[in-house]
Short mmCIF file of all heavy atoms in Angstrom, two decimals:
data_model
loop_
_atom_site.label_atom_id
_atom_site.label_comp_id
_atom_site.label_asym_id
_atom_site.label_seq_id
_atom_site.Cartn_x
_atom_site.Cartn_y
_atom_site.Cartn_z
N GLY A 9 3.63 -10.90 -5.30
CA GLY A 9 3.78 -9.51 -4.89
C GLY A 9 2.62 -8.60 -5.40
O GLY A 9 2.55 -7.43 -5.00
N GLY A 10 1.76 -9.16 -6.17
CA GLY A 10 0.50 -8.47 -6.56
C GLY A 10 0.73 -7.19 -7.20
O GLY A 10 1.65 -6.91 -7.95
N LEU A 11 -0.28 -6.31 -6.96
CA LEU A 11 -0.27 -4.97 -7.64
C LEU A 11 0.60 -3.95 -6.96
O LEU A 11 0.81 -2.86 -7.48
CB LEU A 11 -1.75 -4.48 -7.58
CG LEU A 11 -2.69 -5.14 -8.61
CD1 LEU A 11 -4.14 -4.87 -8.30
CD2 LEU A 11 -2.43 -4.73 -10.04
N ILE A 12 1.17 -4.33 -5.83
CA ILE A 12 2.09 -3.44 -5.17
C ILE A 12 3.53 -3.59 -5.60
O ILE A 12 4.27 -2.65 -5.88
CB ILE A 12 2.06 -3.64 -3.64
CG1 ILE A 12 0.56 -3.46 -3.14
CG2 ILE A 12 2.98 -2.71 -2.87
CD1 ILE A 12 -0.05 -2.10 -3.42
N GLU A 13 3.98 -4.86 -5.73
CA GLU A 13 5.40 -5.16 -6.01
C GLU A 13 5.76 -5.21 -7.49
O GLU A 13 6.88 -4.98 -7.89
CB GLU A 13 5.79 -6.45 -5.36
CG GLU A 13 5.54 -6.52 -3.83
CD GLU A 13 6.49 -5.63 -3.12
OE1 GLU A 13 7.56 -5.26 -3.63
OE2 GLU A 13 6.10 -5.19 -1.98
N ASN A 14 4.77 -5.58 -8.38
CA ASN A 14 5.14 -5.83 -9.78
C ASN A 14 5.20 -4.52 -10.64
O ASN A 14 6.17 -4.41 -11.43
CB ASN A 14 4.17 -6.84 -10.39
CG ASN A 14 4.44 -8.22 -9.86
OD1 ASN A 14 5.46 -8.83 -10.23
ND2 ASN A 14 3.50 -8.75 -9.01
N PRO A 15 4.24 -3.63 -10.59
CA PRO A 15 4.33 -2.45 -11.47
C PRO A 15 5.67 -1.65 -11.35
O PRO A 15 6.25 -1.21 -12.37
CB PRO A 15 3.15 -1.61 -11.05
CG PRO A 15 2.10 -2.66 -10.68
CD PRO A 15 2.94 -3.65 -9.92
N PRO A 16 6.25 -1.42 -10.11
CA PRO A 16 7.54 -0.73 -10.09
C PRO A 16 8.65 -1.32 -10.87
O PRO A 16 9.59 -0.63 -11.21
CB PRO A 16 7.83 -0.71 -8.56
CG PRO A 16 6.51 -0.87 -7.89
CD PRO A 16 5.70 -1.78 -8.79
N ARG A 17 8.52 -2.65 -11.19
CA ARG A 17 9.60 -3.27 -11.96
C ARG A 17 9.69 -2.80 -13.39
O ARG A 17 10.75 -3.00 -14.04
CB ARG A 17 9.41 -4.83 -11.94
CG ARG A 17 9.41 -5.45 -10.54
CD ARG A 17 8.79 -6.85 -10.52
NE ARG A 17 9.59 -7.75 -11.31
CZ ARG A 17 9.20 -9.01 -11.51
NH1 ARG A 17 8.06 -9.54 -10.99
NH2 ARG A 17 10.01 -9.85 -12.21
N VAL A 18 8.65 -2.15 -13.86
CA VAL A 18 8.62 -1.69 -15.29
C VAL A 18 8.48 -0.17 -15.39
O VAL A 18 8.14 0.32 -16.49
CB VAL A 18 7.52 -2.47 -16.06
CG1 VAL A 18 7.78 -3.95 -16.04
CG2 VAL A 18 6.10 -2.12 -15.60
N ILE A 19 8.57 0.55 -14.29
CA ILE A 19 8.31 1.97 -14.29
C ILE A 19 9.59 2.71 -14.07
O ILE A 19 10.42 2.31 -13.19
CB ILE A 19 7.23 2.34 -13.24
CG1 ILE A 19 5.89 1.76 -13.67
CG2 ILE A 19 7.12 3.86 -13.14
CD1 ILE A 19 4.80 1.89 -12.66
N ALA A 20 9.80 3.82 -14.86
CA ALA A 20 11.05 4.54 -14.75
C ALA A 20 11.24 5.21 -13.33
O ALA A 20 10.30 5.51 -12.69
CB ALA A 20 11.07 5.67 -15.85
N GLU A 21 12.48 5.37 -13.04
CA GLU A 21 12.83 6.00 -11.79
C GLU A 21 12.24 7.43 -11.74
O GLU A 21 12.25 8.14 -12.75
CB GLU A 21 14.38 6.09 -11.65
CG GLU A 21 14.82 6.57 -10.29
CD GLU A 21 16.34 6.52 -10.11
OE1 GLU A 21 17.00 5.90 -11.03
OE2 GLU A 21 16.86 7.00 -9.12
N GLY A 22 11.69 7.81 -10.62
CA GLY A 22 11.09 9.15 -10.47
C GLY A 22 9.59 9.11 -10.75
O GLY A 22 8.94 10.12 -10.61
N LEU A 23 9.06 7.97 -11.20
CA LEU A 23 7.62 7.82 -11.44
C LEU A 23 7.05 6.71 -10.59
O LEU A 23 7.77 5.79 -10.20
CB LEU A 23 7.39 7.56 -12.91
CG LEU A 23 7.74 8.57 -13.92
CD1 LEU A 23 7.61 8.08 -15.36
CD2 LEU A 23 6.96 9.86 -13.73
N VAL A 24 5.74 6.75 -10.35
CA VAL A 24 5.05 5.76 -9.54
C VAL A 24 3.73 5.46 -10.22
O VAL A 24 3.18 6.33 -10.89
CB VAL A 24 4.84 6.15 -8.07
CG1 VAL A 24 6.18 6.30 -7.35
CG2 VAL A 24 4.01 7.42 -7.99
N ALA A 25 3.23 4.24 -9.97
CA ALA A 25 1.90 3.86 -10.47
C ALA A 25 0.90 4.23 -9.43
O ALA A 25 0.90 3.75 -8.32
CB ALA A 25 1.85 2.34 -10.71
N ALA A 26 0.01 5.13 -9.79
CA ALA A 26 -1.09 5.64 -8.94
C ALA A 26 -2.32 4.90 -9.35
O ALA A 26 -2.95 5.34 -10.38
CB ALA A 26 -1.24 7.13 -8.95
N PHE A 27 -2.75 3.88 -8.69
CA PHE A 27 -3.95 3.13 -9.07
C PHE A 27 -5.18 3.84 -8.55
O PHE A 27 -5.23 4.39 -7.43
CB PHE A 27 -3.93 1.75 -8.41
CG PHE A 27 -3.05 0.79 -9.19
CD1 PHE A 27 -1.77 0.49 -8.75
CD2 PHE A 27 -3.44 0.19 -10.35
CE1 PHE A 27 -0.93 -0.34 -9.43
CE2 PHE A 27 -2.65 -0.70 -11.05
CZ PHE A 27 -1.38 -0.94 -10.64
N ASP A 28 -6.26 3.81 -9.35
CA ASP A 28 -7.54 4.27 -8.95
C ASP A 28 -8.33 2.99 -8.52
O ASP A 28 -8.88 2.30 -9.34
CB ASP A 28 -8.25 4.94 -10.10
CG ASP A 28 -9.72 5.29 -9.77
OD1 ASP A 28 -10.13 5.12 -8.56
OD2 ASP A 28 -10.43 5.84 -10.70
N TRP A 29 -8.22 2.68 -7.19
CA TRP A 29 -8.76 1.41 -6.70
C TRP A 29 -10.26 1.32 -6.88
O TRP A 29 -10.74 0.20 -6.82
CB TRP A 29 -8.37 1.20 -5.31
CG TRP A 29 -6.83 1.21 -5.08
CD1 TRP A 29 -6.09 2.20 -4.52
CD2 TRP A 29 -5.98 0.15 -5.42
NE1 TRP A 29 -4.75 1.83 -4.52
CE2 TRP A 29 -4.64 0.60 -5.01
CE3 TRP A 29 -6.06 -1.09 -6.00
CZ2 TRP A 29 -3.53 -0.19 -5.26
CZ3 TRP A 29 -4.99 -1.87 -6.22
CH2 TRP A 29 -3.67 -1.42 -5.85
N ALA A 30 -10.94 2.39 -7.09
CA ALA A 30 -12.35 2.37 -7.28
C ALA A 30 -12.77 2.17 -8.76
O ALA A 30 -13.94 2.09 -9.08
CB ALA A 30 -12.97 3.67 -6.84
N SER A 31 -11.80 2.04 -9.65
CA SER A 31 -12.09 1.92 -11.06
C SER A 31 -12.56 0.51 -11.45
O SER A 31 -12.98 0.36 -12.60
CB SER A 31 -10.91 2.37 -11.94
OG SER A 31 -9.82 1.51 -11.71
N TRP A 32 -12.42 -0.42 -10.58
CA TRP A 32 -12.91 -1.80 -10.85
C TRP A 32 -13.35 -2.45 -9.58
O TRP A 32 -12.92 -2.04 -8.50
CB TRP A 32 -11.89 -2.68 -11.57
CG TRP A 32 -10.77 -3.26 -10.78
CD1 TRP A 32 -10.77 -4.53 -10.21
CD2 TRP A 32 -9.53 -2.63 -10.34
NE1 TRP A 32 -9.61 -4.75 -9.51
CE2 TRP A 32 -8.81 -3.54 -9.57
CE3 TRP A 32 -8.95 -1.40 -10.60
CZ2 TRP A 32 -7.53 -3.34 -9.06
CZ3 TRP A 32 -7.72 -1.12 -10.04
CH2 TRP A 32 -7.04 -2.07 -9.26
N SER A 33 -14.29 -3.38 -9.69
CA SER A 33 -14.82 -4.09 -8.55
C SER A 33 -13.96 -5.33 -8.30
O SER A 33 -13.60 -6.04 -9.28
CB SER A 33 -16.28 -4.50 -8.75
OG SER A 33 -17.08 -3.31 -8.93
N LEU A 34 -13.77 -5.65 -7.03
CA LEU A 34 -13.09 -6.92 -6.66
C LEU A 34 -13.93 -8.12 -7.17
O LEU A 34 -15.08 -8.24 -6.71
CB LEU A 34 -12.91 -6.91 -5.17
CG LEU A 34 -11.76 -7.83 -4.62
CD1 LEU A 34 -10.41 -7.32 -5.13
CD2 LEU A 34 -11.83 -7.81 -3.13
N PRO A 35 -13.34 -8.94 -8.06
CA PRO A 35 -14.13 -10.09 -8.48
C PRO A 35 -14.63 -11.00 -7.38
O PRO A 35 -13.96 -11.02 -6.29
CB PRO A 35 -13.14 -10.82 -9.41
CG PRO A 35 -12.26 -9.73 -9.89
CD PRO A 35 -12.07 -8.82 -8.77
N PRO A 36 -15.63 -11.79 -7.52
CA PRO A 36 -16.25 -12.57 -6.44
C PRO A 36 -15.27 -13.47 -5.73
O PRO A 36 -15.31 -13.60 -4.51
CB PRO A 36 -17.36 -13.38 -7.13
CG PRO A 36 -17.72 -12.52 -8.23
CD PRO A 36 -16.54 -11.82 -8.74
N VAL A 37 -14.36 -14.14 -6.47
CA VAL A 37 -13.36 -14.97 -5.82
C VAL A 37 -12.53 -14.29 -4.79
O VAL A 37 -12.29 -14.73 -3.65
CB VAL A 37 -12.48 -15.73 -6.86
CG1 VAL A 37 -11.72 -14.76 -7.73
CG2 VAL A 37 -11.53 -16.72 -6.14
N PHE A 38 -12.04 -13.02 -5.15
CA PHE A 38 -11.27 -12.27 -4.24
C PHE A 38 -12.06 -11.72 -3.05
O PHE A 38 -11.55 -11.59 -1.95
CB PHE A 38 -10.49 -11.17 -4.95
CG PHE A 38 -9.58 -11.65 -6.03
CD1 PHE A 38 -9.88 -11.59 -7.39
CD2 PHE A 38 -8.37 -12.35 -5.62
CE1 PHE A 38 -8.99 -12.10 -8.30
CE2 PHE A 38 -7.52 -12.78 -6.59
CZ PHE A 38 -7.82 -12.67 -7.94
N ALA A 39 -13.35 -11.34 -3.37
CA ALA A 39 -14.19 -10.78 -2.30
C ALA A 39 -14.40 -11.93 -1.27
O ALA A 39 -14.38 -11.68 -0.06
CB ALA A 39 -15.52 -10.35 -2.88
N TRP A 40 -14.62 -13.20 -1.72
CA TRP A 40 -14.82 -14.27 -0.75
C TRP A 40 -13.59 -14.57 -0.01
O TRP A 40 -13.63 -14.72 1.24
CB TRP A 40 -15.26 -15.50 -1.59
CG TRP A 40 -15.54 -16.71 -0.65
CD1 TRP A 40 -16.66 -16.92 0.06
CD2 TRP A 40 -14.64 -17.75 -0.32
NE1 TRP A 40 -16.54 -18.06 0.83
CE2 TRP A 40 -15.30 -18.64 0.57
CE3 TRP A 40 -13.35 -18.10 -0.72
CZ2 TRP A 40 -14.74 -19.74 1.06
CZ3 TRP A 40 -12.74 -19.23 -0.23
CH2 TRP A 40 -13.42 -20.06 0.69
N LEU A 41 -12.42 -14.57 -0.65
CA LEU A 41 -11.16 -14.85 0.01
C LEU A 41 -10.90 -13.76 1.14
O LEU A 41 -10.51 -14.08 2.19
CB LEU A 41 -10.01 -14.92 -0.96
CG LEU A 41 -9.93 -16.11 -1.87
CD1 LEU A 41 -8.91 -15.87 -2.97
CD2 LEU A 41 -9.63 -17.38 -1.08
N GLN A 42 -11.19 -12.51 0.75
CA GLN A 42 -10.91 -11.44 1.71
C GLN A 42 -11.88 -11.52 2.91
O GLN A 42 -11.44 -11.39 4.03
CB GLN A 42 -11.06 -10.11 1.08
CG GLN A 42 -10.79 -8.89 1.99
CD GLN A 42 -10.73 -7.59 1.28
OE1 GLN A 42 -11.36 -7.35 0.25
NE2 GLN A 42 -9.88 -6.68 1.79
N ALA A 43 -13.16 -11.78 2.70
CA ALA A 43 -14.12 -11.86 3.71
C ALA A 43 -13.90 -13.08 4.60
O ALA A 43 -13.87 -13.02 5.85
CB ALA A 43 -15.57 -11.86 3.13
N GLU A 44 -13.66 -14.25 3.99
CA GLU A 44 -13.50 -15.47 4.68
C GLU A 44 -12.21 -15.48 5.52
O GLU A 44 -12.17 -15.99 6.65
CB GLU A 44 -13.52 -16.71 3.76
CG GLU A 44 -13.67 -18.02 4.42
CD GLU A 44 -14.99 -18.22 5.07
OE1 GLU A 44 -16.02 -17.74 4.52
OE2 GLU A 44 -15.04 -18.86 6.18
N GLY A 45 -11.15 -14.86 4.99
CA GLY A 45 -9.88 -14.85 5.69
C GLY A 45 -9.65 -13.59 6.51
O GLY A 45 -8.62 -13.57 7.19
N GLY A 46 -10.53 -12.62 6.42
CA GLY A 46 -10.31 -11.40 7.16
C GLY A 46 -9.04 -10.72 6.68
O GLY A 46 -8.32 -10.13 7.50
N VAL A 47 -8.76 -10.73 5.38
CA VAL A 47 -7.51 -10.23 4.87
C VAL A 47 -7.68 -8.71 4.59
O VAL A 47 -8.59 -8.25 3.97
CB VAL A 47 -7.13 -10.93 3.56
CG1 VAL A 47 -5.80 -10.42 3.01
CG2 VAL A 47 -7.13 -12.43 3.75
N ALA A 48 -6.70 -7.95 5.12
CA ALA A 48 -6.74 -6.49 4.90
C ALA A 48 -6.53 -6.15 3.48
O ALA A 48 -5.92 -6.87 2.72
CB ALA A 48 -5.63 -5.85 5.77
N ASP A 49 -6.98 -4.95 3.06
CA ASP A 49 -6.84 -4.47 1.71
C ASP A 49 -5.37 -4.43 1.25
O ASP A 49 -5.04 -4.92 0.13
CB ASP A 49 -7.39 -3.06 1.51
CG ASP A 49 -8.92 -2.98 1.55
OD1 ASP A 49 -9.55 -4.10 1.36
OD2 ASP A 49 -9.48 -1.91 1.68
N ALA A 50 -4.51 -3.97 2.08
CA ALA A 50 -3.05 -3.87 1.76
C ALA A 50 -2.52 -5.25 1.49
O ALA A 50 -1.71 -5.46 0.55
CB ALA A 50 -2.27 -3.16 2.81
N GLU A 51 -2.91 -6.19 2.31
CA GLU A 51 -2.40 -7.59 2.13
C GLU A 51 -2.94 -8.20 0.90
O GLU A 51 -2.20 -8.99 0.19
CB GLU A 51 -2.73 -8.43 3.35
CG GLU A 51 -2.16 -9.80 3.40
CD GLU A 51 -0.64 -9.80 3.57
OE1 GLU A 51 -0.07 -8.74 3.92
OE2 GLU A 51 0.02 -10.84 3.27
N MET A 52 -4.18 -7.94 0.54
CA MET A 52 -4.78 -8.49 -0.67
C MET A 52 -4.04 -7.93 -1.88
O MET A 52 -3.62 -8.68 -2.78
CB MET A 52 -6.22 -8.05 -0.79
CG MET A 52 -7.23 -8.67 0.14
SD MET A 52 -7.52 -10.42 -0.17
CE MET A 52 -8.35 -10.37 -1.79
N ARG A 53 -3.68 -6.65 -1.89
CA ARG A 53 -3.09 -6.02 -3.03
C ARG A 53 -1.61 -6.40 -3.26
O ARG A 53 -1.08 -6.33 -4.31
CB ARG A 53 -3.15 -4.47 -2.91
CG ARG A 53 -4.63 -4.01 -3.00
CD ARG A 53 -4.72 -2.53 -2.57
NE ARG A 53 -6.16 -2.09 -2.60
CZ ARG A 53 -6.57 -0.94 -2.09
NH1 ARG A 53 -5.72 -0.06 -1.54
NH2 ARG A 53 -7.89 -0.63 -2.18
N ARG A 54 -0.91 -6.88 -2.16
CA ARG A 54 0.44 -7.31 -2.33
C ARG A 54 0.58 -8.81 -2.32
O ARG A 54 1.68 -9.34 -2.43
CB ARG A 54 1.32 -6.76 -1.21
CG ARG A 54 1.08 -7.32 0.15
CD ARG A 54 1.82 -6.58 1.25
NE ARG A 54 3.26 -6.62 1.00
CZ ARG A 54 4.05 -7.51 1.56
NH1 ARG A 54 3.58 -8.46 2.35
NH2 ARG A 54 5.35 -7.45 1.32
N THR A 55 -0.58 -9.54 -2.31
CA THR A 55 -0.53 -11.00 -2.43
C THR A 55 -1.18 -11.44 -3.73
O THR A 55 -0.63 -12.35 -4.45
CB THR A 55 -1.27 -11.64 -1.25
OG1 THR A 55 -0.66 -11.21 -0.05
CG2 THR A 55 -1.26 -13.13 -1.30
N PHE A 56 -2.32 -10.86 -4.13
CA PHE A 56 -3.11 -11.32 -5.26
C PHE A 56 -3.14 -10.25 -6.35
O PHE A 56 -2.79 -9.09 -6.16
CB PHE A 56 -4.56 -11.59 -4.85
CG PHE A 56 -4.73 -12.64 -3.78
CD1 PHE A 56 -5.20 -12.34 -2.50
CD2 PHE A 56 -4.37 -13.97 -4.08
CE1 PHE A 56 -5.31 -13.32 -1.56
CE2 PHE A 56 -4.51 -14.95 -3.06
CZ PHE A 56 -5.02 -14.69 -1.84
#
């Protein structure tokens, strides 16, 4: 469920996790998987 499905499991009702997606670089393994598989950003974030 990645970064989309897991944080809500530990966050109080009425609050949401607002990620700053630019605060870190996608590590090389994920960059390769995304490029090689043509995986969309949203799918990457809810899978890995």
Side-chain angles (χ1 to χ4, degrees):
L11 287 162
I12 304 302
E13 303 292 338
N14 288 290
R17 298 166 64 184
V18 301
I19 293 173
E21 188 174 351
L23 297 173
V24 295
F27 283 99
D28 176 4
W29 300 106
S31 62
W32 78 97
S33 299
L34 202 62
V37 57
F38 297 107
W40 181 81
L41 289 168
Q42 182 170 29
E44 192 67 38
V47 185
D49 285 346
E51 187 67 15
M52 289 291 294
R53 293 167 184 172
R54 70 189 299 266
T55 302
F56 299 115

